[in-house]
Amino acid sequence: MTVEFKLQNKKIYLKNSSKVFKPTQTSKYLIEAIIKDYKFKKNSILDLGCGNGIIGISIIKSIKNFKEFYFADLSKSAVSTTKENLKLNKISSKKIKIIQSDIFNNIYF
């Protein structure tokens, strides 16, 4: 099942897995705070524990000036769901990497 998530007049479509954390109101507050206070240019961004990718996808749709964007999660289901949600939201780029990793074990900048 696909659900629509609205944030700052942007629509984000999400599929979720029963094995992946579902976004809450706290997720929305976090996304809004990051977008509001983002002042850096051309930095690499890491969404560690990305779940279904909602936070990273929201940031990518709002902030275009990042160097690289990494999605990382320990869960194979989360990595798979994030990949599906990036496609569903028509987000593709050589600047985006999706990694299955236990904390920082497989993350190299």
Side-chain angles (χ1 to χ4, degrees):
M1 179 168 125
T2 302
V3 296
E4 184 179 288
F5 184 83
K6 288 186 182 180
L7 182 70
Q8 297 183 340
N9 297 323
K10 291 178 177 41
K11 291 181 184 178
I12 298 167
Y13 301 97
L14 295 173
K15 288 185 179 179
N16 212 0
S17 164
S18 61
K19 298 178 183 179
V20 177
F21 175 79
K22 291 177 180 53
T24 63
Q25 191 66 24
T26 303
S27 305
K28 183 177 178 185
Y29 293 139
L30 176 62
I31 294 163
E32 288 172 346
I34 292 168
I35 292 169
K36 178 182 172 208
D37 293 334
Y38 186 83
K39 295 178 177 77
F40 307 103
K41 295 184 188 252
K42 293 291 181 182
N43 285 327
S44 295
I45 301 172
L46 169 63
D47 183 355
L48 185 61
C50 63
N52 65 10
I54 181 62
I55 293 173
I57 290 169
S58 299
I59 293 168
I60 289 169
K61 284 188 161 233
S62 299
I63 299 170
K64 306 292 184 196
N65 62 342
F66 57 88
K67 180 179 175 184
E68 297 170 308
F69 201 103
Y70 295 86
F71 290 89
D73 204 296
L74 174 63
S75 163
K76 287 182 183 181
S77 288
V79 169
S80 175
T81 303
T82 295
K83 287 178 183 178
E84 284 184 60
N85 287 331
L86 285 164
K87 287 179 187 174
L88 187 62
N89 288 280
K90 298 180 175 113
I91 298 172
S92 67
S93 172
K94 291 181 182 179
K95 298 189 313 181
I96 296 172
K97 311 259 187 284
I98 306 161
I99 305 160
Q100 184 178 357
S101 182
D102 183 4
I103 309 290
F104 294 106
N105 289 344
N106 298 323
I107 299 172
Y108 307 96
F109 295 100

